[in-house]
Amino acid sequence: MDKAMKRLTTALVAILILALALPAWSPALSGEITLSMAVNKAGRQRMLTQRMTKEAFALASGYQTEAYTKSLNASRDMFDRSMNALLDGGPAPTTGGGVVELPGTTTPEIRKQLEVVVGMWNEFDAALGVIVSNDPSSPKVEAAIQVLHRISVPTLVEMNKGVGLFEAESLKKIAVLKTMLMGVAAFFILALIVTFVLSNRIIIKPIQELLT
């Protein structure tokens, strides 16, 4: 009886520990949510490179200058702030006008790839600035357009590599989290089974014997 009681106590303590440990999972789940947001923002960067190229070409042709100037500057700001947040952490703008906090990345491979994109973005953005601040007929604008022809697609390609790395990192963390959760669930179920069996032996059966 003493051994059975000790086992029951151990099982109950194990269940209590698991219950108390549940809040400790919050950082892991929060980290995965944050990484998913980073994947989303990195994917948006690809779209922004193409949007900005289109807006710049429209400006250079003299089409709806005021509207495209406003739109292009907003796209530049969104790309730049998002890039900084992806790399070093901080607020990243959302499409709806709000912001989300990103932690930045410490994974060397991802940082290296993002730094490649940043280097290309500096040249990309400088060309966009020339187009925004000069008359469409200016030779400077023509030169800036040539820069965009040369760098727009490569920037998209390199950003796409960054997105792929973020996605791979997310899948790794999801796999680890799933494994850990399955292990905890299995241990919890085992503890419940042991508790039920021992409770039946130590408590329920003696009570039934007394009643009969």
CSV table of all heavy atoms in Angstrom, one decimal, residues 148-169:
chain,number,residue,atom,x,y,z
A,148,LEU,N,17.5,51.3,-62.0
A,148,LEU,CA,16.4,50.4,-61.7
A,148,LEU,C,16.3,49.2,-62.6
A,148,LEU,O,16.0,48.1,-62.1
A,148,LEU,CB,15.1,51.2,-61.7
A,148,LEU,CG,14.9,52.3,-60.6
A,148,LEU,CD1,13.5,52.9,-60.7
A,148,LEU,CD2,15.2,51.8,-59.2
A,149,HIS,N,16.5,49.4,-63.9
A,149,HIS,CA,16.5,48.3,-64.8
A,149,HIS,C,17.5,47.3,-64.4
A,149,HIS,O,17.3,46.1,-64.6
A,149,HIS,CB,16.8,48.8,-66.2
A,149,HIS,CG,15.6,49.4,-67.0
A,149,HIS,ND1,14.5,48.6,-67.2
A,149,HIS,CD2,15.3,50.6,-67.5
A,149,HIS,CE1,13.6,49.3,-67.9
A,149,HIS,NE2,14.1,50.5,-68.0
A,150,ARG,N,18.6,47.7,-63.9
A,150,ARG,CA,19.7,46.8,-63.6
A,150,ARG,C,19.5,46.1,-62.3
A,150,ARG,O,19.9,44.9,-62.1
A,150,ARG,CB,21.0,47.6,-63.6
A,150,ARG,CG,22.2,46.8,-63.1
A,150,ARG,CD,23.5,47.6,-63.2
A,150,ARG,NE,23.5,48.9,-62.6
A,150,ARG,CZ,23.7,49.1,-61.3
A,150,ARG,NH1,23.9,48.0,-60.5
A,150,ARG,NH2,23.6,50.3,-60.8
A,151,ILE,N,18.9,46.8,-61.3
A,151,ILE,CA,18.9,46.3,-59.9
A,151,ILE,C,17.6,45.9,-59.4
A,151,ILE,O,17.5,45.1,-58.4
A,151,ILE,CB,19.5,47.4,-59.0
A,151,ILE,CG1,20.1,46.8,-57.7
A,151,ILE,CG2,18.4,48.5,-58.6
A,151,ILE,CD1,20.8,47.8,-56.8
A,152,SER,N,16.5,46.2,-60.0
A,152,SER,CA,15.2,45.8,-59.5
A,152,SER,C,15.0,44.3,-59.4
A,152,SER,O,14.7,43.8,-58.3
A,152,SER,CB,14.1,46.4,-60.4
A,152,SER,OG,12.8,46.0,-60.0
A,153,VAL,N,15.2,43.6,-60.4
A,153,VAL,CA,15.0,42.1,-60.4
A,153,VAL,C,16.0,41.5,-59.5
A,153,VAL,O,15.6,40.6,-58.7
A,153,VAL,CB,15.0,41.5,-61.8
A,153,VAL,CG1,15.0,40.0,-61.7
A,153,VAL,CG2,13.8,42.1,-62.6
A,154,PRO,N,17.3,41.8,-59.5
A,154,PRO,CA,18.2,41.2,-58.6
A,154,PRO,C,17.8,41.4,-57.1
A,154,PRO,O,18.0,40.6,-56.3
A,154,PRO,CB,19.6,41.8,-58.9
A,154,PRO,CG,19.4,42.2,-60.4
A,154,PRO,CD,18.0,42.6,-60.6
A,155,THR,N,17.3,42.6,-56.8
A,155,THR,CA,16.9,42.9,-55.4
A,155,THR,C,15.8,42.0,-55.1
A,155,THR,O,15.7,41.4,-53.9
A,155,THR,CB,16.5,44.4,-55.3
A,155,THR,OG1,17.5,45.2,-55.7
A,155,THR,CG2,16.1,44.7,-53.9
A,156,LEU,N,14.8,41.8,-56.0
A,156,LEU,CA,13.7,40.9,-55.7
A,156,LEU,C,14.2,39.5,-55.5
A,156,LEU,O,13.8,38.8,-54.6
A,156,LEU,CB,12.8,40.9,-56.9
A,156,LEU,CG,11.7,39.8,-57.0
A,156,LEU,CD1,10.7,40.0,-55.8
A,156,LEU,CD2,10.9,39.9,-58.3
A,157,VAL,N,15.2,39.0,-56.3
A,157,VAL,CA,15.7,37.7,-56.2
A,157,VAL,C,16.4,37.5,-54.8
A,157,VAL,O,16.2,36.5,-54.2
A,157,VAL,CB,16.7,37.4,-57.3
A,157,VAL,CG1,17.4,36.1,-57.1
A,157,VAL,CG2,16.0,37.3,-58.7
A,158,GLU,N,17.2,38.5,-54.4
A,158,GLU,CA,17.9,38.3,-53.2
A,158,GLU,C,16.9,38.4,-52.0
A,158,GLU,O,17.1,37.7,-51.0
A,158,GLU,CB,19.0,39.5,-53.0
A,158,GLU,CG,20.1,39.3,-54.1
A,158,GLU,CD,20.9,38.0,-54.0
A,158,GLU,OE1,21.0,37.5,-52.8
A,158,GLU,OE2,21.3,37.5,-55.0
A,159,MET,N,15.9,39.2,-52.1
A,159,MET,CA,14.9,39.3,-51.0
A,159,MET,C,14.2,38.0,-50.9
A,159,MET,O,13.8,37.5,-49.9
A,159,MET,CB,13.9,40.5,-51.3
A,159,MET,CG,13.0,40.8,-50.1
A,159,MET,SD,13.9,41.4,-48.7
A,159,MET,CE,13.5,40.2,-47.4
A,160,ASN,N,13.9,37.4,-52.1
A,160,ASN,CA,13.2,36.1,-52.1
A,160,ASN,C,14.1,35.0,-51.4
A,160,ASN,O,13.5,34.1,-50.7
A,160,ASN,CB,13.0,35.7,-53.6
A,160,ASN,CG,12.1,34.5,-53.6
A,160,ASN,OD1,10.9,34.5,-53.1
A,160,ASN,ND2,12.5,33.4,-54.3
A,161,LYS,N,15.4,35.1,-51.5
A,161,LYS,CA,16.3,34.2,-50.8
A,161,LYS,C,16.1,34.4,-49.3
A,161,LYS,O,16.1,33.4,-48.5
A,161,LYS,CB,17.7,34.4,-51.2
A,161,LYS,CG,18.0,34.0,-52.6
A,161,LYS,CD,19.5,34.2,-52.9
A,161,LYS,CE,19.8,33.9,-54.4
A,161,LYS,NZ,21.3,34.2,-54.7
A,162,GLY,N,16.0,35.6,-48.9
A,162,GLY,CA,15.8,35.9,-47.5
A,162,GLY,C,14.5,35.4,-47.0
A,162,GLY,O,14.5,34.8,-45.9
A,163,VAL,N,13.5,35.5,-47.7
A,163,VAL,CA,12.2,34.9,-47.3
A,163,VAL,C,12.3,33.4,-47.2
A,163,VAL,O,11.7,32.9,-46.2
A,163,VAL,CB,11.1,35.3,-48.4
A,163,VAL,CG1,9.8,34.6,-48.0
A,163,VAL,CG2,10.9,36.8,-48.5
A,164,GLY,N,13.0,32.8,-48.1
A,164,GLY,CA,13.1,31.3,-48.0
A,164,GLY,C,13.9,30.9,-46.7
A,164,GLY,O,13.5,29.9,-46.1
A,165,LEU,N,14.8,31.7,-46.4
A,165,LEU,CA,15.6,31.4,-45.1
A,165,LEU,C,14.7,31.6,-43.9
A,165,LEU,O,14.7,30.8,-42.9
A,165,LEU,CB,16.8,32.3,-45.0
A,165,LEU,CG,17.9,32.0,-46.1
A,165,LEU,CD1,19.0,33.1,-46.0
A,165,LEU,CD2,18.5,30.6,-45.9
A,166,PHE,N,13.9,32.7,-43.9
A,166,PHE,CA,13.0,32.9,-42.8
A,166,PHE,C,12.0,31.7,-42.7
A,166,PHE,O,11.7,31.2,-41.6
A,166,PHE,CB,12.2,34.2,-43.0
A,166,PHE,CG,12.9,35.4,-42.4
A,166,PHE,CD1,13.3,36.4,-43.2
A,166,PHE,CD2,13.0,35.5,-41.0
A,166,PHE,CE1,13.9,37.5,-42.6
A,166,PHE,CE2,13.6,36.6,-40.4
A,166,PHE,CZ,14.1,37.6,-41.2
A,167,GLU,N,11.5,31.3,-43.8
A,167,GLU,CA,10.5,30.2,-43.8
A,167,GLU,C,11.1,28.9,-43.3
A,167,GLU,O,10.5,28.2,-42.6
A,167,GLU,CB,9.9,30.0,-45.2
A,167,GLU,CG,9.0,31.2,-45.7
A,167,GLU,CD,8.6,31.0,-47.1
A,167,GLU,OE1,9.3,30.3,-47.9
A,167,GLU,OE2,7.6,31.7,-47.5
A,168,ALA,N,12.3,28.6,-43.7
A,168,ALA,CA,13.0,27.4,-43.3
A,168,ALA,C,13.2,27.5,-41.8
A,168,ALA,O,13.1,26.5,-41.1
A,168,ALA,CB,14.4,27.3,-44.0
A,169,GLU,N,13.6,28.6,-41.3
A,169,GLU,CA,13.8,28.8,-39.8
A,169,GLU,C,12.5,28.6,-39.1
A,169,GLU,O,12.5,27.9,-38.0
A,169,GLU,CB,14.3,30.2,-39.5
A,169,GLU,CG,14.6,30.5,-38.1
A,169,GLU,CD,16.0,29.9,-37.6
A,169,GLU,OE1,16.7,29.3,-38.4
A,169,GLU,OE2,16.3,30.0,-36.4
